[in-house]
Amino acid sequence: MSDTHRSNDWYRISAARPRLRRDVRVIRHIYLGQPWYVLTDSTGTKVHRLTPAAQEVAGRLDGVRSVEDIWEELTTRLAEDAPTQDEIVRLLSQLHQSDLLDNAETPLLDDLLERRDKDRIQKWKKLLLNPASITLPLIDPDKFLKALSSAMGAVPRALWWLSALVIIVAALVVLPLHWQALTARGLEGFLDLENLALIALIYPVVKAVHEIGHGVTVRGRGGEVHEMGLMFIAFYPIPYVEASASLSFPSKWDRAAVAGAGVVVELVIASIALFLWTQAEPGMVRTVLFNTMVISGLSTLAVNGNPLLKFDGYHVLCDIIEIPNMAKRGNEWWGEVVRVYLLGTGERARTRMQIGGWERLWFALYPPAAFAYRIFISITIALFIATTYRLVGVLLALWSVSLMLVWPVLKTAHKGLTDPRIQSVGQRAVLGAGAAVVVLGGLLFALPLPHYAVVQGVVWLPDEAILRAPQAGRITAQQAAHGDRVALGAPLFTVAAPDLEAEARVRGARLAKAEAQYAAARAKDRASAAKFRDRVREARIARDDANARLAQLQVTAALPGQLNLPMTTGLEGRFFARGAVIGHVLPDAEPVIRVAIPQDLATLMSREIRGIELRFADSPDVILSASILRQVPAGGDVLPSPVLALDGGGTFATVPGGDGPLRSARQIFQLDLGLPDGAPRPAYGMRAHVRLAFAPKSLAVRVAREVRALFLRAFDV
């Protein structure tokens, strides 16, 4: 027998005669055409999944044969395919941790008791390592769930699922119609103390119904549920039920139904809340419904229903694709790849993970994606909290980064230093690890990568080119037609404003009256004439203001160009409100493309810009070079054009409300670009897609800048 089958700890368990508990049942499952075995106790709360090789060992744990006898028997029958001693040691430890062994007389007793004591403090350890995620068992809900399941059994199971699907699909149809109103409301004020009080009432109710959905689905398929309590995620209390009995269900669809029942229940709640929200009047009821939608919809899709986190969505995915324990086994596969191909441990094929192409694909993709998403969602939650409670958010972000990055690196390093397989190859592992560090460091810090950014702009029309009605009135004369060339100061339209003309006459009469009173007072009593002099001054100011507005009734060209009128027919007799747009004077000067850029790119424009290219929306296949005409050094929030806002197809969210210009929700900088000679003249108001080319830089620098920009935006700096 080769040394790879031997274990240094074998002497401690070889004489033990363990046996499975009498109430343990063995259930055969099929995953990807291969048999697996599930050991479960009578309540279904103690569950452990075994490979066929592990079942060969577990099936012989009868309390009569020793571990040594079992191993020798398997070695004789299976030869090189027999499980190794280390695999048997790990199996016995796992069975004991799952409380499936019934033997207290083995040499492992001290270790097992020690492990049991460690389990008792595991919750406190978990609290210290991750204060945002702890569990607290409270009650046994089995009798209640059994009664509820029996009552719901009056309606066919398929009809319940179909009803839920109809409600959710109906909500998805309605959602786009009210999307603008929902996004305008946003999450502003979501963490205010008043709103948190509402959440404290809504959240537990929603999550309790969610967990009841899990429990009822388990009971409806013959399982038992004996634990219900609270689980704290990001410091929010979430009720939970212990539904591990579903792991023993032979059908993958039954297991997936249990895992997904809670998500479906919450999406139904969110859908009903949306229907009611659309009908509710502004007030407390509408606020409660909005919070319910956020809790049941947004948080469910981002956390509980997302398969990249080890919650309900993850278990649904594992059951459907028939890869149990995908996250754990995927991490083990990556560890094996690093050991064998990078560190050169030379492990034999027999001792490696035996997986097929389907599993290998998921193992290669899932762990990196899940790791990245965990970091993303943790930082997102922390920054969201920081918008209201800055110190708490910053501390939570630092803690999340430590747990997601620093702690895994330290654990991996410790495991690598203590792994006997790595220690056995010595210098080869050091060289492999060193080469990996050098290559990775070069890729991250030394390799320059192209750096581009795409922003949007608009063919800018100056404010003086816009012809507006100076006063509310009708056009009585039109001196230029659509398409005419006009010079600076050329008269274009005459507007008649009878109300303004009458007001000017009234003010003129008031001035004449005040002047007469002042003259009479001076003839009688010069001392009392002072108050009439003040009246004359006020009346003259009022008359001059009216006359100035009368003078504006003649609309002239503020710059030379071509007259452009949306109404090409005669405008005489048409009424325009004050400030309404009559037309435009398209300037003769070369067009200017005004671009809005975010703050993080503005800092790079002066030092690292290497080139600018743009495409216009009406000719996306034509690429034009551009040059910088002007860069506004100070930031602002006024958008150059509505086409740059989200509602206009742009990228900038705007601040709702107000009658003035559109204002961006975040700070922007403006950049004016010019076109090369001979370039086709674009239409004013046309959208331009601008690509900015910056100096190449390493991936580490890019990531650092993006993280910095993220924090600046989060804290509105």
Side-chain angles (χ1 to χ4, degrees):
M1 184 61 58
S2 64
D3 291 339
T4 57
H5 280 63
R6 305 289 180 177
S7 170
N8 294 331
D9 296 324
W10 187 250
Y11 73 95
R12 306 174 68 186
I13 67 164
S14 60
R17 302 177 186 273
R19 69 166 178 261
L20 295 176
R21 286 172 42 177
R22 290 182 174 85
D23 62 340
V24 169
R25 295 181 298 130
V26 180
I27 303 173
R28 189 172 185 265
H29 288 186
I30 300 296
Y31 296 101
L32 300 177
Q34 299 297 320
W36 284 61
Y37 298 88
V38 173
L39 306 186
T40 178
D41 65 356
S42 58
T43 65
T45 58
K46 306 297 183 182
V47 180
H48 192 74
R49 188 183 286 112
L50 302 177
T51 64
Q55 174 59 20
E56 291 280 359
V57 178
R60 290 170 169 78
L61 299 179
D62 53 9
V64 177
R65 286 174 284 190
S66 67
V67 175
E68 179 75 28
D69 294 338
I70 294 173
W71 182 68
E72 289 180 353
E73 179 182 341
L74 292 176
T75 300
T76 301
R77 190 166 69 86
L78 302 177
E80 290 295 325
D81 292 331
T84 65
Q85 292 180 351
D86 276 328
E87 290 172 343
I88 294 178
V89 171
R90 287 196 297 269
L91 173 62
L92 293 176
S93 298
Q94 292 166 358
L95 291 176
H96 179 269
Q97 288 175 342
S98 299
D99 199 21
L100 296 173
L101 291 180
D102 186 16
N103 184 17
E105 303 298 331
T106 72
L108 277 177
L109 179 59
D110 293 339
D111 288 344
L112 298 181
L113 291 177
E114 180 182 355
R115 195 173 293 116
R116 185 186 307 173
D117 293 337
K118 289 182 179 179
D119 290 341
R120 293 175 179 174
I121 65 171
Q122 196 61 234
K123 293 176 183 177
W124 291 104
K125 183 178 179 181
K126 186 176 182 180
L127 174 61
L128 293 175
L129 292 178
N130 189 358
S133 179
I134 60 174
T135 57
L136 181 64
L138 294 177
I139 62 173
D140 182 347
D142 194 65
K143 292 183 179 179
F144 165 74
L145 294 175
K146 183 178 180 180
L148 182 58
S149 177
S150 299
M152 294 179 64
V155 177
R157 184 186 300 168
L159 188 57
W160 286 108
W161 291 99
L162 181 61
S163 301
L165 179 62
V166 169
I167 293 173
I168 295 171
V169 170
L172 292 176
V173 173
V174 172
L175 182 61
L177 303 177
H178 302 276
W179 182 253
Q180 185 173 359
L182 287 169
T183 53
R185 167 67 170 81
L187 294 179
E188 183 178 357
F190 187 74
L191 294 179
D192 290 347
L193 293 178
E194 297 84 353
N195 202 60
L196 287 178
L198 286 177
I199 294 173
L201 298 175
I202 300 170
Y203 205 90
V205 174
V206 170
K207 294 303 178 181
V209 178
H210 167 115
E211 295 302 323
I212 289 173
H214 285 307
V216 168
T217 310
V218 172
R219 287 297 316 185
R221 287 159 174 79
E224 297 182 5
V225 180
H226 291 285
E227 181 178 305
M228 186 173 186
L230 294 177
M231 176 172 57
F232 293 84
I233 302 296
F235 302 106
Y236 282 105
I238 305 175
Y240 78 94
V241 295
E242 176 54 63
S244 59
S246 64
L247 296 178
S248 64
F249 295 162
S251 170
K252 71 175 184 179
W253 299 110
D254 285 343
R255 298 192 299 272
V258 172
V263 173
V264 173
V265 167
E266 285 207 51
L267 292 179
V268 169
I269 293 175
S271 301
I272 295 173
L274 173 62
F275 297 142
L276 297 177
W277 182 84
T278 60
Q279 303 299 320
E281 296 293 333
M284 178 61 70
V285 173
R286 191 176 174 92
T287 301
V288 170
L289 293 172
F290 181 84
N291 285 327
T292 303
M293 283 189 289
V294 173
I295 293 171
S296 303
L298 181 60
S299 67
T300 296
L301 295 176
V303 179
N304 208 26
N306 194 305
L308 294 176
L309 298 177
K310 292 182 67 175
F311 296 116
D312 294 346
Y314 164 78
H315 296 294
V316 172
L317 177 63
C318 289
D319 287 323
I320 291 177
I321 65 176
E322 300 185 18
I323 303 180
N325 300 329
M326 178 171 60
K328 180 176 181 294
R329 295 171 64 208
N331 290 332
E332 292 174 351
W333 180 83
W334 274 102
E336 180 181 275
V337 170
V338 171
R339 289 196 314 271
V340 174
Y341 297 103
L342 182 62
L343 304 182
T345 56
E347 300 170 33
R348 296 167 53 185
R350 162 65 184 84
T351 61
R352 299 182 196 174
M353 297 179 66
Q354 305 300 311
I355 59 176
W358 177 248
E359 291 175 300
R360 186 175 292 106
L361 173 65
W362 283 98
F363 291 168
L365 298 179
Y366 183 84
F371 177 72
Y373 186 77
R374 285 197 303 270
I375 295 177
F376 166 77
I377 197 66
S378 299
I379 298 299
T380 300
I381 293 174
L383 293 180
F384 176 61
I385 294 175
T387 58
T388 305
Y389 308 103
R390 182 166 298 185
L391 179 60
V392 175
V394 171
L395 293 177
L396 185 58
L398 293 175
W399 192 261
S400 298
V401 170
S402 299
L403 290 178
M404 298 297 176
L405 292 177
V406 179
W407 182 248
V409 169
L410 294 177
K411 286 179 63 177
T412 302
H414 177 266
K415 186 174 182 179
L417 294 174
T418 57
D419 192 324
R421 291 167 295 188
I422 298 176
Q423 292 176 342
S424 64
V425 295
Q427 189 69 21
R428 171 64 178 84
V430 174
L431 292 176
V437 170
V438 171
V439 172
L440 184 61
L443 293 176
L444 290 177
F445 296 97
L447 179 64
L449 299 176
H451 185 190
Y452 299 99
V454 177
V455 294
Q456 290 188 12
V458 63
V459 182
W460 175 247
L461 188 65
D463 291 339
E464 56 268 24
I466 303 175
L467 304 175
R468 300 182 184 275
Q471 299 293 329
R474 298 183 183 277
I475 294 180
T476 58
Q478 180 177 345
Q479 290 83 22
H482 173 75
D484 288 351
R485 307 292 303 178
V486 296
L488 175 65
L492 303 177
F493 311 103
T494 301
V495 179
D499 293 342
L500 179 59
E501 294 171 357
E503 183 181 353
R505 289 194 295 270
V506 169
R507 292 186 178 185
R510 288 176 181 172
L511 175 60
K513 179 179 179 181
E515 288 176 339
Q517 291 176 338
Y518 175 59
R522 289 185 62 187
K524 294 181 180 179
D525 183 5
R526 290 182 175 271
S528 63
K531 65 179 181 178
F532 292 103
R533 184 173 62 249
D534 293 338
R535 292 178 183 176
V536 170
R537 184 170 60 254
E538 293 173 357
R540 182 174 290 110
I541 292 174
R543 184 206 60 182
D544 292 344
D545 174 69
N547 289 338
R549 286 187 285 157
L550 281 175
Q552 294 175 353
L553 295 179
Q554 180 63 57
V555 180
T556 61
L559 45 76
Q562 183 181 38
L563 182 61
N564 179 273
L565 301 176
M567 302 178 184
T568 56
T569 58
L571 296 181
E572 294 184 6
R574 292 184 181 274
F575 178 84
F576 289 88
R578 181 177 181 181
V581 176
I582 301 174
H584 304 86
V585 175
L586 305 183
D588 293 331
E590 291 297 325
V592 174
I593 292 83
R594 178 154 293 181
V595 181
I597 58 178
Q599 181 179 3
D600 54 311
L601 293 181
T603 58
L604 304 179
M605 292 299 301
S606 59
R607 304 190 309 271
E608 301 186 15
I609 190 67
R610 294 294 183 269
I612 303 175
E613 295 178 341
L614 59 82
R615 307 168 188 248
F616 291 110
D618 64 341
S619 54
D621 296 334
V622 179
I623 301 177
L624 302 172
S625 61
S627 58
I628 299 177
L629 301 177
R630 185 178 70 100
Q631 181 176 353
V632 179
D637 60 357
V638 177
L639 284 177
S641 170
V643 302
L644 302 183
L646 286 177
D647 292 341
T651 59
F652 292 96
T654 55
V655 178
D659 298 327
L662 280 176
R663 297 188 178 275
S664 170
R666 56 188 174 118
Q667 192 177 50
I668 61 173
F669 289 76
Q670 293 186 4
L671 183 71
D672 287 347
L673 303 179
L675 297 176
D677 295 337
R681 192 180 186 91
Y684 286 96
M686 178 68 63
R687 186 193 312 276
H689 300 277
V690 182
R691 189 176 81 155
L692 306 173
F694 299 103
K697 53 186 66 67
S698 67
L699 181 61
V701 173
R702 294 277 301 277
V703 171
R705 287 184 174 178
E706 291 296 331
V707 171
R708 177 178 179 272
L710 177 65
F711 276 87
L712 290 177
R713 288 195 298 269
F715 297 118
D716 196 22
V717 177

